[in-house]
């Protein structure tokens, strides 16, 4: 029988010190029973001699040094799994949220997982059509990628994530798919938005929901994304499904990490976040990808709110160094009523090059997006210039760029929440917009593609305007 | 038994054990019965702090610690090339075969295959006198790398016997009579990673190492045996540049360290390098490459070791007389691993929480680069080790302690700018901020072997780019119409240099690699255009006409011309003259 200890000597913030313990292991799961029989969970953060430092997920309120008992369970935190998890709702620690969410487990897995051997990975190169031009055309998402959305307070990141889940999930080659939705400290309303959207599109029965809402214990958030990813790994690599994981909001996760670090009085790194945050985040984000010989895949879309819209804040900064690109939302585009307000220039998908081109999207895709990028960047520069000098002072060619940048935002970036554009449509739209330029300005596109595609779109500009 | 310690504290990757009397700093130990490998990094009385190279979850107080009394070593011998290792030289392909898709704990697989037989051909014979560093013979490891077997450090004497034939790395191929009796020599050596491999003498790097990347070779060249760093914010293309250099750099052996970076990037290298062909030999590039992969989710202590593992392997090939290039992506992750371990040791932190010895560690790492005369007394062997490190400063901020400590030691600085990356100008190396201190040392070689005009053209082009940045300020304030004709030509030509020369598409079949000869002709064409345009402007041709010249499109397409068709570029000179001549004629009539 497991030994019960009544020897808590120190309680501070989310941490407990238990003395006189034997055989306690690092990272072990702990059960804490309060005097009034309330049961809480914890994890061993450090063992030294006969002392164990325990982090309590549900907070330490009500815990005392006399009546509270502690049991060490001899294993890490496990998630109980079976194919029935689809359509069920779990807490941030992976427990059923209501009795109807109980399952008959087929197996249990440690939520920390193990690193995927880089040798056994398969490179992600299958194009996912999200139906959003700014993503498909310029920041192409591929299966097995981790592509975060960097957003700010009040921006419509939830709409975009839901649109991606809705449109990319239903498309494709009739393969088994699943959505793992992980709510980390978001509000009830935000979480309901997603659940309603899944319900309307019929995706709910293919979804696993892991919910830690804003009023749930903050320290539990350390475990929440790991619970979700354990479900995803099970579905993808054991049940051959293509899994889309939405993690929202990773900023809340990092805050929890910071809280524990501060309680342990660790030397802080930048802006009070712990020095090991990079490694810690990597153990979450790197749990995406494809594995040789396995049919399934895990594609991750973490959402994180940039404090003060600052991209160099440690959370987005470290995330950007781990993930394979980022979709950045812009407040100024949002104010211009451009929806989705994707800031194209600093956004990036690192894996697009292998996912586009002949037999995947279209042969001209790579050259085309390079040209669109370059032209839009120049257009933005010209717009800045025009603010100082006035539009009249621009050269003829600069005027073209000025107009191009405006149209690009209005027609290419902007589209409806329920508009599902095919990749053909997106590419042709790019050509249409570029056709206003003289041919020698289109340096990023090979001659053969200019010969083949450009004539189709030149002179149709007026038509487009009229339409 | 004195070789059994006992765990008394576990905190993340750091374990403290007691009863460790007799252990030395940086000795390897095995923790618990699952035998997790670790290294001693602090000793106090009979207690030792151990950084563990694997996850420590599940380890508790009282578990045993096994001492080995040996430092962390790597195995050197045939079988290194084409391998992919983790940070402590465990072969990931074999781990995949034994443990499956995920890396579980306590796996032990030898770095070099003990079964595989290699065909050894001696080049010395019995009776010869040899000393450390001499070539005993070779193994044709791959079609690109002839793996020389060296007399190990500390051994010299007369060869009693040496055999040709097929051997495993553990079977003796020769016997040498030394002062302390006869020694059997196998093809495998072991070397402690934290100790520099010895050489006879360092020499100054004077030969350029061409990379096929125009902005690098033409403006900020690196020398064989030199050091370079590539700092930049995320998304500015550090990894693409490192990959491009690993692919096209003119070296015999490449050691690529993926240090704390993305798993998929290593997979990319693993899948792509066997497909890509070396421009000279036509053989797959993988046949000259060793990969070290410690991805960001692998244990942090092994990340600290990975750069040492990599550079020791690189030094070993250098000692054979090869030009070796080492890429480390990214040294910031290495520094962060040091910071994490230092924090757990409760050391007093320096800047941004990094340990105070950060600068010293970085400097001693980069100083392991260089051109050296190898140990061998009989043969005159020169080997080169070039080190290129990526740095990932938070927010791209160059005042980051890792960047600053790195800049104090490296000679080439390729500064990546987010602004260039946003406008998809790749490689996003800023021409205004970057520098190379090798321009002077390699001058003689380049002028002799490429063209004596090389550095003049480089200076002209750089002047135009500098001038452009000044003029842009003016244009921003008062508009382009206020500029003189000369200045407008400067802007036009500077744009040409940026877009048609510096910009290089890594994913275009031809553009991805440009030979130094073609680079020279390209820049010469652009500068020629500049001079001629200026001349004709002075003789009265209208600037607006010059700006509309057709030949500009041909200049823009130069980069897509294959090396074998280099003549086509030469014809552009003629086109420039004839079109300008035509403009002048039109003007006069």
């Amino acid at each position: 029988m497991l030994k019960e200890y009544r020897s808590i000597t120190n309680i501070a913030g989310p941490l407990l010190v238990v003395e006189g313990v034997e055989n306690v292991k690092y990272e072990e799961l702990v059960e804490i029973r309060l005097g009034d029989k309330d049961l809480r969970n914890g994890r061993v953060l450090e063992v030294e001699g006969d002392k164990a430092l325990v982090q309590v997920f549900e907070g330490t309120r009500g815990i005392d040094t006399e009546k509270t008992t502690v049991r060490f369970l001899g294993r890490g935190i496990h998630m109980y799994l079976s194919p029935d998890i689809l359509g069920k709702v779990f807490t941030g620690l992976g427990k059923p949220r209501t009795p109807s969410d109980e399952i008959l487990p087929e197996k249990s897995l440690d939520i920390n997982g193990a690193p995927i051997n880089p040798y056994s990975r398969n490179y992600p190169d299958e194009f996912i059509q999200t139906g959003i031009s700014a993503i498909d055309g310029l920041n192409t998402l591929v299966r097995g990628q981790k592509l975060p959305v960097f957003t700010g307070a009040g921006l419509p990141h939830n709409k975009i994530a839901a649109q991606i889940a809705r449109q990319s999930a239903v498309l494709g080659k009739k393969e088994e798919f699943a959505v793992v939705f992980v709510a980390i400290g978001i509000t009830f309303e935000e979480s309901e938005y997603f659940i309603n959207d899944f319900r309307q599109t019929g995706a709910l029965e293919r979804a696993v929901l892991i919910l830690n809402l804003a009023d749930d214990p903050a320290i539990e958030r350390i475990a929440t994304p790991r619970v979700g990813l354990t479900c995803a790994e099970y579905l993808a690599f054991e049940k051959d499904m293509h899994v889309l994981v939405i993690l929202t909001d990773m900023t809340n996760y990092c805050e929890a990490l910071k809280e524990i670090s501060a309680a342990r009085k660790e030397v802080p790194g930048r802006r009070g976040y712990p020095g090991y945050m990079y490694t810690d985040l990597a153990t979450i984000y790197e749990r995406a990808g494809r594995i040789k010989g396995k049919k399934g895949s895990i594609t991750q879309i973490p959402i994180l709110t940039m404090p003060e819209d600052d991209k160099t804040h440690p959370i987005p900064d470290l995330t950007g160094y781990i993930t394979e690109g980022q979709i950045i939302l812009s407040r100024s585009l949002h104010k211009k009523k451009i929806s989705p307000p994707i800031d194209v220039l600093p956004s990036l998908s690192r894996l697009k090059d292998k996912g586009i081109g002949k037999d995947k999207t279209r042969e001209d895709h790579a050259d085309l997006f390079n040209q669109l990028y370059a032209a839009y960047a120049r257009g933005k520069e010209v717009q800045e210039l025009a603010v100082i000098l006035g539009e009249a002072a621009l050269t003829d060619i600069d005027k073209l760029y000025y107009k191009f940048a405006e149209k690009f935002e209005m027609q290419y970036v902007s589209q409806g929440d329920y508009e599902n554009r095919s990749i053909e449509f997106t590419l042709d739209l790019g050509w249409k917009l570029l056709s206003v330029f003289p041919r020698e300005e289109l340096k990023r596109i090979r001659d053969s593609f200019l010969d083949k595609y450009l004539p189709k779109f030149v002179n149709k500009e007026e038509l487009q305007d009229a339409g | 038994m004195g070789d059994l310690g006992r765990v008394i504290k576990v905190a993340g990757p750091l374990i403290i054990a007691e009863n460790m009397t007799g252990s030395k700093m940086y000795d390897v130990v095995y923790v618990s019965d699952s035998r997790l490998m670790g290294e001693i990094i602090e000793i106090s009385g009979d207690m030792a702090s151990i950084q563990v190279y694997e996850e420590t979850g599940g380890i508790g107080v009282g578990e045993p610690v096994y001492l080995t009394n040996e430092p962390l070593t790597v195995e050197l011998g045939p079988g290194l090339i084409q391998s992919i290792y983790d940070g402590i030289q465990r072969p990931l392909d074999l781990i995949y075969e034994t443990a499956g898709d995920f890396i579980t704990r306590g796996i032990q697989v030898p770095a070099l295959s003990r079964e595989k037989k290699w065909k050894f051909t001696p080049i010395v014979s019995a009776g010869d006198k040899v000393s450390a560093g001499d070539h005993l013979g070779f193994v044709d490891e791959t079609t690109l790398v002839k793996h020389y077997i060296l007399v190990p450090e500390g051994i010299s004497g007369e060869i009693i016997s040496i055999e040709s034939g097929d051997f495993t790395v553990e079977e003796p191929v020769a016997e040498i009579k030394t002062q302390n009796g006869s020694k059997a020599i196998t093809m495998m050596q072991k070397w402690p990673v934290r100790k520099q491999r010895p050489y006879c003498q360092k020499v100054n790097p004077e030969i350029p190492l061409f990379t096929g990347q125009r902005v690098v070779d033409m403006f900020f060249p690196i020398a064989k045996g030199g050091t370079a760093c590539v700092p930049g914010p995320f998304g500015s293309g550090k990894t693409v540049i490192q990959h491009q250099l690993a692919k096209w750099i003119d070296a015999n052996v490449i050691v690529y360290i993926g240090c704390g970076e993305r798993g998929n990037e290593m997979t990319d290298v693993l899948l792509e390098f066997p497909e890509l062909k070396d421009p000279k030999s036509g053989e797959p590039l993988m046949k000259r490459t060793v990969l070290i992969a410690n991805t960001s989710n692998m244990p942090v202590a092994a990340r600290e070791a990975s750069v040492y593992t990599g550079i020791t392997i690189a030094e070993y090939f250098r000692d054979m007389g090869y030009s070796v290039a080492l890429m480390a992506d990214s040294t910031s992750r290495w520094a962060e691993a040091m910071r994490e371990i230092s924090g757990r040791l409760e050391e007093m932190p320096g800047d941004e929480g990094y340990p105070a010895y950060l600068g010293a560690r970085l400097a001693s790492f980069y100083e392991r680069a260089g051109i050296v005369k190898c140990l061998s007394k009989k043969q005159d062997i020169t080997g080169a080790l070039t080190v290129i490190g990526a740095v990932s400063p938070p927010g791209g901020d160059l005042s980051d302690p890792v960047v600053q400590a790195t800049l104090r030691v490296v000679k080439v600085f390729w500064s990546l700018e987010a602004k260039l990356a946003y406008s998809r100008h790749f490689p996003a190396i800023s021409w205004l901020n970057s520098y190379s201190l090798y321009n002077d040392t390699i001058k003689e070689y380049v002028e002799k072997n490429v063209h004596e005009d090389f550095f003049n053209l480089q200076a002209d082009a750089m002047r135009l780019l500098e001038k452009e940045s000044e003029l842009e300020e003016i244009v921003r304030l008062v508009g382009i119409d206020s500029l003189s004709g000369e200045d407008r030509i400067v802007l036009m030509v500077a744009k040409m240099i940026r877009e048609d020369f510096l910009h290089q598409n890594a994913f275009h079949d031809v553009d991805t690699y440009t030979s130094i000869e073609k680079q020279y002709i390209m820049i010469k064409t652009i500068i020629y255009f500049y001079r001629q345009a200026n001349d004709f402007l002075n003789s009265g041709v209208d600037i607006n006409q010059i700006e509309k010249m057709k030949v500009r499109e041909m200049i823009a397409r130069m980069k897509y011309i294959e090396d074998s068709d280099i003549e086509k570029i030469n014809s552009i000179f003629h086109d420039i003259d004839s079109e300008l001549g035509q403009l002048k004629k039109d003007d006069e009539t």
Side-chain angles (χ1 to χ4, degrees):
Chain A
M1 206 34 225
L2 291 168
K3 222 170 168 177
E4 282 205 343
Y5 295 97
R6 220 178 262 269
S7 47
I8 299 174
T9 55
N10 205 335
I11 309 167
L15 306 180
L16 300 179
V17 176
V18 191
E19 287 195 15
V21 297
E22 281 169 16
N23 264 326
V24 171
K25 315 284 188 204
Y26 175 61
E27 292 261 302
E28 197 173 336
L29 184 62
V30 183
E31 265 182 16
I32 301 136
R33 196 170 288 278
L34 272 63
D36 53 4
K37 299 292 167 195
D38 183 7
L39 189 68
R40 296 193 192 166
N41 295 282
R43 175 177 76 136
V44 176
L45 281 187
E46 199 174 297
V47 283
E48 182 174 9
D50 66 349
K51 274 192 277 191
L53 182 68
V54 176
Q55 159 203 318
V56 186
F57 287 115
E58 293 93 342
T60 47
R61 190 188 316 147
I63 296 183
D64 63 0
T65 54
E66 282 170 19
K67 296 202 189 92
T68 307
T69 59
V70 178
R71 289 200 312 162
F72 295 89
L73 301 186
R75 56 173 174 84
I77 306 172
H78 281 237
M79 176 74 193
Y80 293 92
L81 298 159
S82 87
D84 297 337
I85 55 172
L86 288 170
K88 298 283 195 305
V89 188
F90 299 91
T91 69
L93 274 178
K95 304 213 164 124
R97 229 178 144 86
T98 62
S100 64
D101 294 317
E102 301 270 0
I103 54 159
L104 205 60
E106 172 188 284
K107 69 187 298 184
S108 77
L109 288 173
D110 191 311
I111 62 158
N112 285 318
I116 302 178
N117 187 337
Y119 187 82
S120 54
R121 278 181 187 269
N122 218 342
Y123 198 76
D125 57 0
E126 279 179 289
F127 168 66
I128 298 181
Q129 182 174 304
T130 64
I132 301 173
S133 289
I135 296 177
D136 290 351
L138 302 167
N139 298 293
T140 318
L141 181 67
V142 293
R143 250 184 199 152
Q145 186 172 14
K146 37 191 182 293
L147 190 65
V149 178
F150 288 6
T151 176
L155 293 178
H157 40 271
N158 291 340
K159 272 191 192 170
I160 296 170
Q163 191 173 5
I164 294 174
R166 185 167 61 230
Q167 296 182 169
S168 56
V170 288
L171 259 159
K173 294 176 275 179
K174 291 230 170 90
E175 283 156 321
E176 282 222 84
F177 75 92
V179 177
V180 174
F181 176 74
V182 184
I184 313 164
I186 58 170
T187 61
F188 170 79
E189 283 162 59
E190 284 173 299
S191 132
E192 271 308 288
Y193 173 81
F194 279 99
I195 295 171
N196 274 332
D197 200 84
F198 294 152
R199 188 175 291 129
Q200 275 165 19
T201 53
L204 195 61
E205 59 210 49
R206 313 284 315 153
V208 185
L209 308 178
I210 316 288
L211 303 184
N212 171 293
L213 298 183
D215 57 351
D216 287 331
I219 301 303
E220 189 178 288
R221 287 166 202 163
I222 298 292
T224 309
R226 297 187 164 87
V227 168
L229 288 162
T230 306
C231 297
E233 278 170 3
Y234 170 76
L235 294 174
F237 303 134
E238 294 188 29
K239 301 290 163 207
D240 292 338
M241 293 181 192
H242 293 288
V243 186
L244 180 74
V245 183
I246 298 174
L247 302 167
T248 176
D249 176 326
M250 284 305 286
T251 303
N252 295 331
Y253 171 83
C254 295
E255 294 298 332
L257 203 62
K258 181 167 151 181
E259 190 180 335
I260 293 170
S261 173
R264 294 181 71 181
K265 301 191 173 62
E266 289 173 332
V267 178
R270 263 200 336 142
R271 301 221 200 161
Y273 292 91
Y276 48 80
M277 194 158 86
Y278 177 83
T279 310
D280 192 278
L281 285 173
T283 58
I284 293 174
Y285 296 137
E286 277 288 324
R287 290 171 81 175
R290 292 165 64 202
I291 289 183
K292 277 184 205 165
K294 299 270 164 92
K295 263 165 91 186
S297 66
I298 299 179
T299 309
Q300 259 190 40
I301 306 208
I303 297 173
L304 59 91
T305 313
M306 297 182 282
E308 295 165 41
D309 293 357
D310 176 11
K311 192 157 64 85
T312 66
H313 183 280
I315 299 172
D317 192 55
L318 295 178
T319 300
Y321 276 121
I322 305 165
T323 54
E324 283 136 354
Q326 65 277 335
I327 304 281
I328 297 187
L329 304 190
S330 148
R331 200 168 292 278
S332 76
L333 287 181
H334 183 58
K335 281 186 185 146
K336 282 195 224 166
K337 299 275 179 247
I338 285 168
S339 166
I342 296 177
D343 196 354
V344 169
L345 295 180
S347 296
L348 170 73
S349 161
R350 289 164 191 273
L351 302 183
K352 62 178 182 299
D353 300 297
K354 298 273 159 62
I356 62 173
K358 214 171 170 217
D359 300 329
K360 289 186 172 142
T361 52
R362 209 165 73 186
E363 52 180 2
D364 54 325
H365 193 158
D367 285 13
L368 187 64
F369 83 64
N370 273 324
Q371 188 64 60
L372 282 169
Y373 256 113
Y376 181 55
R378 169 106 185 255
K380 290 302 266 184
E381 258 173 49
V382 172
Q383 283 185 349
E384 276 172 35
L385 204 65
V387 172
I388 305 167
L389 296 173
E391 251 177 87
L394 298 176
T395 60
D396 289 348
I397 196 84
D398 279 351
K399 277 181 193 146
L400 284 180
Y401 278 105
Y402 185 93
K403 226 176 137 198
F404 169 83
E406 275 187 342
K407 281 203 170 157
F408 179 81
E409 285 173 4
M410 296 305 299
Q411 296 177 12
Y412 196 94
V413 179
S414 188
Q415 69 180 77
D417 294 344
Y418 286 86
E419 186 180 351
N420 193 351
R421 293 178 177 173
S422 74
I423 184 67
E424 285 284 325
F425 180 90
T426 296
L427 293 172
D428 286 352
L429 182 61
W431 278 108
K432 245 177 236 165
L433 292 169
L434 285 175
S435 65
V436 297
F437 292 112
R439 184 178 161 132
E440 58 271 18
E441 282 295 314
L442 306 178
K443 285 183 186 175
R444 306 281 168 100
I445 305 178
R446 256 158 267 221
D447 278 337
S448 52
F449 296 154
L450 285 174
D451 292 342
K452 187 169 167 188
Y453 293 96
L454 195 57
K456 288 195 220 165
F457 299 99
V458 174
N459 298 331
K460 289 188 186 162
E461 178 59 20
E462 281 77 10
L463 272 176
Q464 170 74 23
D465 268 357
Chain B
M1 276 241 306
D3 58 353
L4 197 63
R6 185 176 161 274
V7 173
I8 55 168
K9 178 178 176 179
V10 187
L14 185 83
I15 282 182
I16 298 181
E18 62 177 10
N19 195 23
M20 298 288 285
T21 319
S23 52
K24 299 186 295 292
M25 278 294 270
Y26 296 108
D27 271 0
V28 168
V29 297
Y30 292 98
V31 176
S32 96
D33 287 320
S34 27
R35 292 187 79 79
L36 311 182
M37 194 171 169
E39 202 180 13
I40 295 178
I41 51 170
E42 198 177 271
I43 298 176
S44 147
D46 77 335
M47 290 196 294
S49 303
I50 300 159
Q51 60 171 347
V52 182
Y53 296 132
E54 299 187 61
E55 281 302 323
T56 49
I59 302 292
V61 171
E63 297 200 39
V65 176
Y66 301 92
L67 307 189
T68 63
N69 292 318
E70 270 182 15
L72 181 64
T73 56
V74 286
E75 296 182 352
L76 303 168
L80 286 172
I81 302 283
Q82 306 197 64
S83 290
I84 173 165
Y85 293 115
D86 75 354
I88 46 175
Q89 216 202 2
R90 294 183 303 183
L92 289 171
D93 45 351
L94 295 182
I95 290 182
Y96 171 64
E97 277 164 29
T98 46
D101 301 328
F102 294 89
I103 300 175
T104 42
R105 292 192 308 179
I107 301 171
Q108 287 184 40
V109 190
L112 298 177
S113 164
R114 297 294 191 264
E115 283 94 46
K116 187 166 167 121
K117 294 213 177 232
W118 298 92
K119 190 176 178 329
F120 174 74
T121 315
I123 43 182
V124 292
S125 39
D128 287 352
K129 286 223 173 357
V130 292
S131 61
D134 286 346
H135 294 178
L136 286 175
F138 61 85
V139 167
D140 280 313
E141 189 172 352
T142 68
T143 41
L144 288 178
V145 178
K146 189 179 259 195
H147 193 122
Y148 289 101
I149 306 300
L150 311 174
V151 178
E153 157 83 349
I155 289 182
S156 67
E158 189 186 310
I159 293 181
I160 302 170
S161 66
I162 186 162
E163 287 172 68
S164 73
D166 295 339
F167 300 96
T168 69
V169 290
E170 286 182 314
E171 290 168 347
V173 293
E175 210 176 341
I176 296 176
K177 193 166 130 198
T178 69
Q179 285 179 329
N180 312 320
S182 79
K183 289 256 167 30
I185 307 293
T186 60
M187 291 196 279
M188 180 175 76
Q189 300 184 19
K190 289 191 175 181
W191 193 266
V193 295
R194 293 183 197 275
K195 190 173 153 198
Q196 198 173 50
R197 281 178 63 85
Y199 48 82
C200 172
Q201 191 196 350
K202 242 185 195 175
V203 291
N204 259 332
E206 284 170 350
I207 303 168
L209 184 61
F210 291 125
T211 62
Q213 309 304 303
R214 292 188 292 262
V215 58
V216 171
D217 293 352
M218 192 74 206
F219 290 103
F220 310 108
I222 181 163
K224 266 186 190 155
T227 50
C229 75
V230 203
F234 64 81
S236 59
K238 277 185 302 297
T239 302
V240 176
I241 287 178
Q242 291 273 37
H243 283 196
Q244 281 297 93
L245 294 174
K247 281 175 198 166
W248 306 119
I249 204 164
D250 177 27
N252 305 107
V253 176
I254 308 291
V255 178
Y256 191 97
I257 309 172
C259 177
E261 292 284 309
R262 306 175 182 91
N264 277 330
E265 280 170 4
M266 293 317 293
T267 312
D268 185 24
V269 174
L270 272 176
L271 295 177
E272 199 177 12
F273 276 36
E275 305 283 317
L276 288 166
K277 302 277 187 278
D278 175 33
K280 278 188 198 139
S281 61
E283 289 288 324
L285 287 169
M286 196 63 198
K287 295 196 168 179
R288 59 166 196 183
T289 309
V290 185
L291 297 174
I292 315 281
N294 177 281
T295 56
S296 53
N297 54 343
M298 280 151 84
V300 68
R303 187 179 313 157
E304 199 269 335
S306 65
V307 294
Y308 293 107
T309 301
I311 201 157
T312 309
I313 293 173
E315 282 177 339
Y316 172 67
F317 284 104
R318 173 203 69 187
D319 291 345
M320 293 177 203
Y322 288 126
S323 163
V324 185
L326 177 132
M327 281 90 198
D329 184 15
S330 145
T331 56
S332 289
R333 306 294 160 235
W334 173 47
E336 281 164 12
M338 274 192 257
R339 173 167 75 183
E340 186 170 341
I341 304 285
S342 162
R344 307 265 188 196
L345 281 173
E346 291 167 11
E347 290 175 341
M348 191 64 87
D351 288 351
E352 299 265 349
Y354 286 105
Y357 45 80
L358 172 75
R361 292 271 173 94
L362 277 168
S364 64
F365 167 71
Y366 280 105
E367 195 56 15
R368 285 172 81 166
I371 292 203
V372 300
K373 292 240 176 286
C374 300
L375 272 186
S376 173
K377 293 195 184 89
K378 275 203 316 202
Q379 298 150 287
D380 184 22
I381 308 169
T382 309
L385 169 53
T386 313
V387 174
I388 299 164
V391 193
S392 323
D397 174 11
L398 295 181
S399 67
D400 168 61
V402 185
V403 178
Q404 287 305 315
T406 306
L407 286 180
R408 283 203 294 276
V409 281
V410 300
K411 298 287 188 295
V412 180
F413 169 51
W414 296 315
S415 169
L416 298 181
E417 267 186 17
K419 208 180 111 210
L420 291 174
Y422 294 166
S423 57
R424 291 306 182 262
H425 177 102
F426 286 117
I429 297 177
S430 155
W431 47 89
L432 296 173
N433 293 339
S434 306
Y435 60 76
S436 163
L437 302 181
Y438 292 117
N439 270 323
D440 294 332
T441 47
I442 62 170
K443 195 166 183 185
E444 202 182 316
Y445 180 94
V446 173
E447 290 186 340
K448 206 169 135 203
N449 292 285
V450 185
H451 201 280
E452 56 190 14
D453 206 17
F454 187 91
F455 286 98
N456 293 333
L457 291 175
Q458 185 204 56
D460 284 345
M462 192 46 85
R463 247 196 309 277
L464 287 168
L465 290 170
E466 296 266 357
K467 183 93 197 211
E468 182 196 34
S469 76
E470 286 166 24
L471 290 174
E472 267 176 353
E473 295 276 305
I474 301 175
V475 171
R476 198 151 294 171
L477 290 173
V478 291
I480 194 158
D481 292 332
S482 60
L483 291 185
S484 68
E486 279 92 355
D487 285 346
R488 280 173 65 175
I489 288 184
V490 169
L491 283 185
M492 179 169 70
V493 176
K495 189 174 162 216
M496 226 179 240
I497 297 173
R498 281 191 286 113
E499 293 184 356
D500 307 335
F501 185 81
L502 295 178
H503 177 267
Q504 189 165 2
N505 185 349
F507 301 98
H508 187 285
D509 303 337
V510 179
D511 200 22
T512 183
Y513 171 86
T514 310
S515 69
I516 190 70
E517 290 77 20
K518 188 179 151 192
Q519 293 184 29
Y520 170 76
I521 296 195
M522 285 173 75
I523 199 78
K524 192 174 170 181
T525 311
I526 294 173
I527 299 296
Y528 182 77
F529 175 85
Y530 170 66
R531 293 193 183 132
Q532 290 303 97
N534 246 335
D535 279 357
F536 277 82
L537 181 80
N538 288 334
S539 67
V541 178
D542 182 16
I543 176 72
N544 291 313
Q545 296 297 321
I546 295 176
E547 279 179 351
K548 285 189 188 129
M549 278 171 70
K550 278 207 187 66
V551 74
R552 289 179 60 191
E553 203 183 326
M554 308 194 37
I555 291 176
R557 307 262 164 214
M558 279 191 300
K559 52 181 161 186
Y560 303 122
I561 296 174
E562 295 202 30
D563 256 84
S564 48
D565 290 342
I566 215 163
E567 295 308 310
K568 279 192 191 160
I569 301 184
N570 276 324
S571 72
I572 298 178
F573 288 90
H574 174 73
D575 295 334
I576 294 172
D577 286 344
S578 66
E579 201 178 346
L580 277 167
Q582 188 62 41
L583 285 182
K584 187 157 167 63
K585 229 185 271 167
D586 294 349
D587 207 42
E588 279 160 2
T589 52

